[in-house]
Amino acid sequence: MTSTEIQNEIIEDFSLFEEDMESKLFYLMDLGKKLPEMPLEHKTEEFIVKGCQSKVWLYPFKQDGKLFFEADSNTEITKGLVSLLVKILSGKTPSEIVETDLYFIEKIGMNHMIGSQRSNGFASMIKQMKMYAFALTQK
Amino acid sequence: MTSTEIQNEIIEDFSLFEEDMESKLFYLMDLGKKLPEMPLEHKTEEFIVKGCQSKVWLYPFKQDGKLFFEADSNTEITKGLVSLLVKILSGKTPSEIVETDLYFIEKIGMNHMIGSQRSNGFASMIKQMKMYAFALTQK
Amino acid sequence: MNEASLDIISIRNHFPILHQQVNGHPLVYFDNAATTQKPIEVIDALGDYYKLHNANIHRGAHALADRSTGFFEDTRKSVQQFINAKEAAECIFTKGVTESINLVAQTYGKAFLKPGDEVLISYMEHHSNIVPWQMICNEIGAQLKVIPIHENGELDMEAFYKLLSVQTKIVACVWASNALGTINPVKEIIDAAHKVGAIVLLDGAQAGSHLPIDVQQLDVDFLTLSGHKLYGPTGVGVLYGKRKLLDKMPPYQGGGEMIKEVSFESTTYNEIPFKFEAGTPNIGDVIAFKYALEFVSRIGKEAIIQWESKLLNHFNAGINEFGSNRIKLFGTAKEKVAVQSFLIEGKHPFDTGLLLDAKGIAVRTGHHCTQPLMNFFGIEGTVRASFAVYNTMEEVDVLLESLKKMLNRK
Amino acid sequence: MNEASLDIISIRNHFPILHQQVNGHPLVYFDNAATTQKPIEVIDALGDYYKLHNANIHRGAHALADRSTGFFEDTRKSVQQFINAKEAAECIFTKGVTESINLVAQTYGKAFLKPGDEVLISYMEHHSNIVPWQMICNEIGAQLKVIPIHENGELDMEAFYKLLSVQTKIVACVWASNALGTINPVKEIIDAAHKVGAIVLLDGAQAGSHLPIDVQQLDVDFLTLSGHKLYGPTGVGVLYGKRKLLDKMPPYQGGGEMIKEVSFESTTYNEIPFKFEAGTPNIGDVIAFKYALEFVSRIGKEAIIQWESKLLNHFNAGINEFGSNRIKLFGTAKEKVAVQSFLIEGKHPFDTGLLLDAKGIAVRTGHHCTQPLMNFFGIEGTVRASFAVYNTMEEVDVLLESLKKMLNRK
Ligand SMILES: Cc1ncc(COP(=O)(O)O)c(C=O)c1O
Ligand SMILES: Cc1ncc(COP(=O)(O)O)c(C=O)c1O
C-alpha cells in the first residue's frame, strides 16, 4: 500500500469516532499495544528522541534500498501515534519518506500532538524519521 | 485673614479662568513673580526641597509663636504655587498650619501638581511645611 | 465573607474564559497552581489602560503620564495593604517570583554571603527557589543545605532545627508547595531562623491566592509573589522586603529610573522601591493587577480557603471511594492548599493528562519544576489537579468520573 | 507602501487613546520616544488572550496550554522575521531594553571580560546603556571608555577610531538617540569593532519603530528592543543575540523552564532561547506584541520613516520661521529619527511642559535618562517632542502655535 492509501485508511478508521477525543485516544492506546516489540538492544540512549514528558525510541535500518523503523515510547498515546508513523513510513524508500505529507495527523485531530514542540516526543520523532531518510537520499 | 479666607479668595480668583488651564498657569507664573525675594544666604543646599524636575527652597523661621516661610523655586509655575502656600500658611501658628486643609489646590485644578510625587518639588514642599510646623507643636 | 455565602456561579461569571468548550466538553480548569484565570475586571482594566491612559510613568509632565503614574503607585499601595507591609516602598514590582528570588540572591546574597556561610532550602522547593541559590552559592563558595521532608509531604522540622546554625545566613522556603500543597509552618521557621541571625525569604507563589498574608505579623524578611497566580496578568510579581534590608542592598539591574545621578565616573542610586525597578516597568499589567487584589479581597481569603478545602476534600473523598490501590496520592500533609498530585499505577502522567484533556479537563502533568522532590518520591512526575475559588463540586465530579473510567479500563 | 499613500486618519482610527480631550483640548501625543500608543489590534489580542486562551506555557498537556504555547512561539517567529534573525531561538523575550542590556552585561560581560579590558560606549547613551556596564566594569576591573560627540549631536567617529583597540572587548552603542534623534553609523561601528575582535551590542530602543532592521546584514552581535516603544504592550522586550554567543554564555536568572535537569548537587541548563527565559514569562503581552509587529510591517518602515521625517522637518521649519534666537534646538545631526529636543531661553523645561500640557500637548521634559549628555551640553534637561506614524501636520502646528505664544509672552 502507498503511504497515501495507509493514511486514508487511518483517517477512515478514526472518522468513526467523529469528535470524541477520548475514544480516539483509547483507540490509539490500543493501536500502540500492537506495535511490534522493539528489541531491547536497540532501546539505547543513542536512539532516544527526547520530548519533554514522553520519550520515544527510534531505530532505523536500511534493507534493499528501503528504510525500516523500529520504535517504542514510554507513554501509551505517543506509542499509538508512533505505531501509525511506522505503519505509514517503514519500508518505504528514503525519497518517498522525505516526500510524504503526513496529512493524517490533522485529519484525525491530533495536530495538538505536534503543536507545542516541547510537550512530547512525537513531533521530534517525525523530524528524526525525515532526517534519517533525507540523509540517505544525500548519499 | 484666616487661611480659609485666603484660600477662598484664591479659588475665587482662579474661577475667572474656568477650565482654561493655560491661562491659569500664566496667572500662576505672574503670581510667582510677586513672591518676596528670598535672601540668597537662605538659598542653600540645606533648605532645598528636591523634586525630580523642579527645585524648591524653603526657609522657615519662628517669630512670636508664629511660623514664617521664605521660599523660591527654579521653575515659574511651581514658584507661583509656592507663593500661594506662603500666602496661606506663613505667619500662622504651627498648629494652625498642621491643621490647614489645603483644599484650594484641587479647587483651582492643580491637583495634578501633587499627584505624581516625583515630578515636582511642590508636593514635597507642602510636606516640609507641615513637618516643620508639626515639629514645633511637639516641643 | 463566609464561605457558606459564596455564590460560585456569580463568581464564575467574572471569568469569561471558563465558559468555553474544549474537545466538545465544558472546560474544567484545574491547572490553577500553574496560573489562575483572570476576572473581567482585570481584563477590562488592562484594555482601559491602553485605550485611555497609556504613558510612560514617573518623570512625565503631561496628563497621561500623570494619570499612569498615579495608577501605578495605587497598585503599590494595594499590594502594601494586601500583605500588610509597613510601607508601600517596601513592595517592589518584578516579573514574578522567579525574578524576585533571583533579585534577592544576586543583591542581598552577593553582598552579604561569605565563603562557608550556609543557605537553607527545602526538598520541596520549586526550581526557582533552588537554582538562584545554587548559582550564588557557587559564586561565593557558600553551602546550600536542604531540609528533608516526610513521606506525607511535610517538612521534617526536627531535621530543620538540626540544620539551622549560626552558619545559616539565609533560609529560603516555599510557603505552600506547588507540587504537594503542603503549607509549611513558616512562622515557626522565621522565628527559629531569626534566633540564629538568619534572614528568611518565603516563596509565596502558591500562598498568594489562598492564604491570608501579614508580613509584619510573620516578621518575614522577604516575601515573593507572582501576579499571574493571583488572578492577575502575566508579567507582574512582587518582592516584599523589609526597608532596613532593601536599603542596604546593592541594586540589581542598572538603568532608567533606578538612579539618582549618573556620570561616567560614578552613579548614585535612587531610593526604594525605585532602586530595584530599572527600566520601564510593566506598567499596564501592574495597573491591572490592582483589580486582581481587589477581587480576592472582596471575596475574602477566609471564604476562599474554606471553599477550596471543600473542593480538595471532595476530590480526595472521591478517590478514596474508588477503593482502588491503583491510584496513589502525593502530598497528604495535614495543612494543605487545594493542590493534589496523584498517579495512576502503570499510567504515565502524560497519558492521563491527555485523556483528561479529551474530556475538557485541564490538569498539569510532569515534574512541576520540582525535580528533586520527584526524585525523593522516586518518580518522574505526577498528575496535578489544583483548585481555585471559581471551581465547583460538579467539576470535581467530572474529574472523578474520568479517572474512574481510566481505572476501570485496564 | 509609499508614504504618499499613507492614510494617517485611518491609521489614527486604530488608536482609541488618541481620540480624547486633555485640559479641554484634543490630545496631541508627542511623547512617543518614551512610549508609543497601542493599536486596537494589540489591545484586543491582549483581551482575547485572557478571555479565551490563558494558560501557563510549555509543559502543559491540556488544550489551553497548547494554544498559549503556540501563540507565544508565534510571536518569537514574528520577531525573527521583523529583525531578520537566522533563527527564532536567537530571539529572547525580556522585560525591555534595560533588562536585555543587563542580561548581556551580567552573562557575556561576566564570563568574558577581564581586568584591563575595555567597554566602549558613547556620550549619548541612555542610562540603561551606561549603568549596567559601569556595574560589570567595576566588578571585573575593566575600563569604561566613552566616545565623545560633536555639538550637533553626531558621534565623533575620529575619536571612536582612536579609542577602539585590541583592548576593546565590547562596544555598546545606541542606534538612534532618544534625546537627540541622531542615527549613528552602526554598520561602520560594527565592522570596525569586529576588526579588533570586539563584539557590538546595539541599543535599539528608538530604532525599533522607525528604522528597517536586518541583524544579519548588520552582522550585529546583540540587539535590544522594547516592545512598548514599538506599538506593543509594556513589559515585553527582545534580546537578539547570535547563537554562537548565546550558546556559550552562562544563564542569567535561575528557575523554572531555564533548566534541563536540577538536582541539589548540580543543574544543567536548557537550550536557547529557554536558557535565558527563567520563570513564567509575560505570556499575555508577548502574544499581543505580535500584532504590534504586524501593524508596523503592514504600514512598512519606509513609509513610516518618510512620514515621520516630514513631521520633524515641518516642526523644525516652523521653529526657524519664528526667527527667534530664544529657542535653541539640541540634536541637529544629518541623519535623525523624528525626535527633537529644544529649550526656550530663560524658561525651565518643566514650565514649558506644563504649559503645553495645558493645551493638551504631551511632550517629555527633563534629562531623558541621559544625564551625561545633558552635562555635555551644560544643561539640566530639554523639552522633547517625538513623533510617531499616527501624528499629523496639524498637530505639529498646534505645538508650534503654543510655543510661539510662549515666546511672545515674555
Ligand atoms: C535609547 C534608549 N535606551 C534604553 C531605553 C530603556 O528602555 P526600557 O525603559 O524600555 O527598558 C530607552 C527608553 O527609555 C531609550 O530610549
Ligand atoms: C512554589 C512556586 N515557586 C515559584 C514559582 C515560579 O513562579 P513564576 O514562574 O511566576 O516566576 C512557582 C510557579 O510555577 C511556584 O509554584
Side-chain angles (χ1 to χ4, degrees), chain C residues 56 256 278-281, chain D residues 33-34 95-99 101 126 128-129 174 176-178 203-206 226-229 368-369 384:
Chain C
N56 213 328
T280 302
Chain D
K95 237 186 322 199
V97 162
T98 302
E99 180 168 66
I101 297 175
H126 188 279
S128 295
N129 203 24
V174 69
S177 155
N178 64 311
D203 171 353
Q206 298 299 332
S226 282
H228 72 96
K229 293 184 198 279
H368 317 296
C369 290
R384 181 188 71 184

Side-chain angles (χ1 to χ4, degrees), chain D residues 248-269:
Chain D
K248 69 179 183 179
M249 277 149 62
Y252 181 48
Q253 300 182 332
E257 290 292 318
M258 54 71 78
I259 58 95
K260 187 167 273 163
E261 241 155 303
V262 173
S263 75
F264 292 121
E265 294 71 40
S266 78
T267 290
T268 52
Y269 299 116

Side-chain angles (χ1 to χ4, degrees), chain D residues 31 45 71 84 97 158 198 201 209 212 220 240 246 330 353 355 361 374 381:
Chain D
D31 194 16
F71 296 145
N84 194 32
V97 162
E158 238 175 89
L201 174 142
S209 67
V220 67
Y240 160 81
L246 293 174
F330 295 84
L355 284 168
I361 306 166
M374 297 297 115

Side-chain angles (χ1 to χ4, degrees), chain C residues 169-289:
Chain C
K169 289 297 162 355
I170 301 173
V171 179
C173 181
V174 70
W175 190 339
S177 154
N178 66 311
L180 304 175
T182 315
I183 300 173
N184 287 316
V186 291
K187 181 65 183 144
E188 184 182 344
I189 291 169
I190 292 164
D191 290 344
H194 285 173
K195 275 198 191 117
V196 301
I199 59 129
V200 177
L201 175 143
L202 288 185
D203 171 353
Q206 298 300 331
S209 66
H210 304 293
L211 305 178
I213 304 179
D214 184 334
V215 291
Q216 292 188 75
Q217 184 270 325
L218 279 176
D219 197 24
V220 67
D221 302 286
F222 295 106
L223 171 71
T224 61
L225 296 172
S226 281
H228 72 95
K229 294 185 198 279
L230 220 171
Y231 304 101
T234 52
V236 178
V238 172
L239 170 64
Y240 159 82
K242 287 181 182 163
R243 174 184 275 278
K244 66 169 191 218
L245 298 177
L246 294 174
D247 273 345
K248 68 179 185 180
M249 279 150 60
Y252 181 49
Q253 299 183 334
E257 289 293 318
M258 55 70 79
I259 57 94
K260 187 166 274 163
E261 242 154 305
V262 173
S263 75
F264 293 121
E265 294 71 39
S266 79
T267 290
T268 52
Y269 300 116
N270 207 331
E271 315 263 283
I272 64 166
F274 309 110
K275 179 167 85 172
F276 295 108
E277 292 178 356
T280 302
N282 187 352
I283 306 168
D285 291 323
V286 165
I287 288 174
F289 180 42

Side-chain angles (χ1 to χ4, degrees), chain A residues 37-55:
Chain A
E37 209 167 309
M38 188 174 180
L40 250 177
E41 68 267 28
H42 294 161
K43 282 180 75 169
T44 60
E45 200 54 34
E46 189 184 350
F47 295 108
I48 227 163
V49 184
K50 255 200 174 167
C52 168
Q53 300 204 31
S54 67
K55 279 182 220 160

